[in-house]
Amino acid sequence: MSRLVVISNRVALPKDVRAGGLASAMQSALAETGGLWFGWSGRLVDEGERTLQRLGDGRVDFALLDLTREEYARYYLGFSNRTLWPLLHFRPSLLDYSRDDFAGYRSVNRLFAEHVARLLQPGDRVWVHDYHLIPLGAELRALGVDAQIGFFLHIPLPPRELLAILPHHEHVFSALAAYDLVGVQTSADLDALTRYFQVEYGATIADGQAVHLPDGRRFRAAAFPIGIDTGRVARAAERAANGAATRRLVTSLEHRRLAIGVDRLDYSKGLPQRFEAFGRFLSRHEEWRAKVSLLQIAPPSRSDVPEYRELRSRLERIAGATNGRYAEPDWVPIRYVNRSFNQATLAGFYRAADVGLVTPLRDGMNLVAKEFVAAQPADDPGVLVLSSLAGAARELTQAVLINPHDPDDIVDALREALAMPLHERRERWSAMMDHLRRHDITYWRNTFLEALADT
Ligand code: F6P
């Protein structure tokens, strides 16, 4: 079997138990196949002090490259997270474009390509991940790499009209044509991609998937909704149920009910709307006061980006106001925790919760929704309240689906979830769990790699 070479901005080392969505998914995806994982080391250095660190744990080799402070500012904070991130999450009003950031983005992609090209061996399959690295395939091709190269976009792809807002968008998105296979999360993302190529470049689409450009370039595009390691989450949750952290949480509730949210502190996650809705729920349904708490775990993220710092202050204000208004000496409505927990601890918390609140304004997939379901006990499962604007809503159709822009929708869903009879909870949960078992992370990896082999 040929070697798998994965390239992503963020890399999770084996002991990194706090990895984000993409990194922990890739950890599971690489666990069986082994291979090489290339990406940013997470270190910032001065010009001239850059190193490429090589580490290995037997199955997976890691190649980790430092970035300079300037590269971090332009490529990561600037173009990736202040330009592409808001645009691709349907928030063009937050888009902040600068030609210097775009140049920094391109030069880090070139730098990654130069290092990767030196590490490649004949027969390797290359798999590039996410919006930080859209031009990487084209840079590898420019260096003469003729390996099969696939790309997977973990975040949403908005319609052409939004993509075309980006200055010089053709230099960014046309680079996707250098890949053999481009994977996206949902059929809506796929439609946006093929339509963009049709309208902007006059491409023709065969079988809904094969994109042919007038200049002769061609690539295949398809939707591969990412999964989780369902069995592992379920086992971890079962083990954690009797662990110290879960027991402390459960004891602290004193038989009150619990709704849980776990999100990076990001404006795409709809956290202010969620907090507002929880306050409105308590105001409208007095009978639930002092009977239910919201535990919101929100580790700070990208705090060098101003919009993320503003969000943090805004949430502190709303949580403070809601708690000040409704708290009792022995009960707080919103338990707001700005730190991360390892996946085993989270699995125990999910299992202890009655309701999972996953209400992003826009999300490529949202793996928390899937992990919440996988962590539930079969005999007494909790209820998932899920944004219809998350990719996961297309698969987890038995969740209580809401529009995150309508706080009343969240209020009604909370009420419905807290009152839902056991037989209905079981029915909904079994259908979702069955889907998650069949479409787990191994299924996702295999279907993508099989499609890549077929190109
Ligand atoms: O899923 C989107 C994503 O940007 C991943 O690429 C990343 O692992 C995660 O969000 C966390 O973000 P960051 O790497 O910027 O901390």
Side-chain angles (χ1 to χ4, degrees), residues 192-268:
L193 178 69
T194 50
R195 180 106 189 101
Y196 173 83
F197 272 85
Q198 277 175 315
V199 176
E200 295 296 330
Y201 314 119
T204 53
I205 316 293
D207 307 329
Q209 299 206 329
V211 184
H212 296 254
L213 282 98
D215 63 9
R217 285 181 297 166
R218 56 176 59 193
F219 66 98
R220 201 176 146 193
F224 302 90
I226 195 168
I228 55 168
D229 192 338
T230 312
R232 195 169 65 115
V233 175
R235 286 191 298 278
E238 216 178 317
R239 269 198 308 273
N242 297 315
T246 310
R247 271 195 280 122
R248 279 216 314 273
L249 172 63
V250 171
T251 309
S252 77
L253 292 171
E254 294 178 322
H255 305 291
R256 294 184 176 102
R257 315 286 291 276
L258 180 68
I260 191 170
V262 178
D263 309 78
R264 274 186 313 104
L265 233 167
D266 192 297
Y267 52 76
S268 64

Side-chain angles (χ1 to χ4, degrees), residues 124-188:
D124 282 348
R125 295 166 295 167
V126 182
W127 193 1
V128 180
H129 291 266
D130 230 358
Y131 60 104
H132 315 85
L133 302 175
I134 293 170
L136 186 61
E139 296 291 353
L140 286 169
R141 295 284 182 231
L143 293 168
V145 172
D146 68 354
Q148 279 187 319
I149 313 180
F151 175 83
F152 187 79
L153 183 69
H154 290 252
I155 67 174
L157 198 71
R160 182 198 77 83
E161 289 73 8
L162 283 186
L163 293 176
I165 290 174
L166 177 68
H168 311 294
H169 60 90
E170 58 283 2
H171 295 301
V172 180
F173 302 115
S174 72
L176 289 170
Y179 293 102
D180 296 298
L181 174 65
V182 173
V184 289
Q185 298 275 23
T186 67
S187 59

